[in-house]
Amino acid sequence: MSDERELRFDSGAGEVSALLRRPPHAWALFVCGHGAGAGMRHPFLAAVADRLAERGVATLRYQFPYMEAGSRRPDHRPVLLATVAAADRAAADAAGDLPRLAGGKSMGGRMASHAAADGLLPEACGLVFLGFPLHPAGRPSTERAAHLPRVPCGMLFLQGTRDKLADLALLRPVLAPLAERATLHVVDGGDHSFGVLKRSGREGEEVLDELAEATARWARRVLGG
């Protein structure tokens, strides 16, 4: 895309790449980490960035060090959290005039939530989770959400009804005490990657538009626009 450019920044564990997509009339910037098994160039994240750009939301997608090095094994949590914080600083350097949202797909979003809870994202106006991984597949629990009450900003949870990493029957009671700080948007028929079954009558493009529209609408509310 003509309005996308590659950046590099120091994660604290080596230089990593990032892609800044800024549409002409951007009014917010989403700093987006990738999931555990796929990097920033994954077609899903690229498609989400395209649709957010159509709605005036810029994106900065970035790599974690292990993915930059071509490894499949995620870094230890301190490295991941340091990268999230470094990505936010890189976003401020590249587009500091835009209010920033943090988050990402699965692991990337979860690490952003830990970074926010630990005070590493003081300028983040909100967090967006493209499938918060509440628990491992087949092992339902809520331990991964224990830190969420310490997140100081609003959070948007985009979750599919068929997500095997987030049982909605467990997630809803976790979010309820957070009241207005947590917004849950349920994607009917979506799995952890927001794929839908053919028999649902829905198309993947429709789901991508839904994710982008829900994100932009929530961001407008959070930012007071």
Side-chain angles (χ1 to χ4, degrees):
M1 296 290 180
S2 60
D3 56 355
E4 184 171 88
R5 63 188 177 100
E6 187 164 347
L7 310 173
R8 295 187 66 79
F9 65 90
D10 183 3
S11 70
E15 267 201 352
V16 295
S17 303
L19 292 170
L20 176 65
R21 177 84 190 280
R22 179 169 182 161
H25 303 294
W27 50 270
L29 174 62
F30 175 32
V31 186
C32 177
H34 59 74
M40 66 180 183
R41 297 183 187 276
H42 189 275
F44 171 79
L45 289 182
V48 169
D50 287 345
R51 284 158 178 78
L52 287 175
E54 292 171 358
R55 293 162 173 81
V57 179
T59 51
L60 186 136
R61 292 136 53 206
Y62 62 92
Q63 299 276 73
F64 287 105
Y66 77 96
M67 189 63 68
E68 188 78 4
S71 173
R72 301 290 291 179
R73 183 175 182 177
D75 304 300
H76 293 301
R77 183 178 293 183
V79 173
L80 297 174
L81 297 187
T83 304
V84 171
D88 185 65
R89 293 193 295 272
D93 290 340
D97 56 317
L98 297 176
R100 297 192 300 283
L101 308 169
K105 179 74 184 79
S106 195
M107 182 198 74
R110 185 163 74 97
M111 290 303 107
S113 70
H114 279 287
D118 290 350
L120 300 177
L121 299 174
E123 295 183 4
C125 299
L127 300 181
V128 178
F129 305 116
L130 294 164
F132 186 86
L134 182 62
H135 52 74
R139 293 161 52 193
S141 70
T142 60
E143 292 178 6
R144 288 182 176 178
H147 65 289
L148 293 180
R150 295 192 290 112
V151 173
C153 55
M155 295 170 278
L156 173 63
F157 293 79
L158 300 159
Q159 305 289 151
T161 57
R162 295 190 304 117
D163 190 342
K164 294 183 178 180
L165 276 65
D167 185 337
L168 291 176
L170 294 177
L171 183 60
R172 283 191 171 98
V174 165
L175 301 185
L178 302 178
E180 294 183 358
R181 278 195 295 141
T183 299
L184 174 62
H185 180 91
V186 175
V187 177
D188 188 35
D191 61 16
H192 189 60
S193 298
F194 298 100
V196 291
L197 299 173
K198 287 185 178 180
R199 66 171 179 266
S200 71
R202 304 189 75 197
E203 299 290 338
E205 298 294 313
E206 178 186 346
V207 173
L208 288 167
D209 283 333
E210 178 181 345
L211 293 172
E213 186 61 31
T215 300
R217 186 170 58 246
W218 175 82
R220 284 282 193 194
R221 187 172 74 248
V222 167
L223 298 175

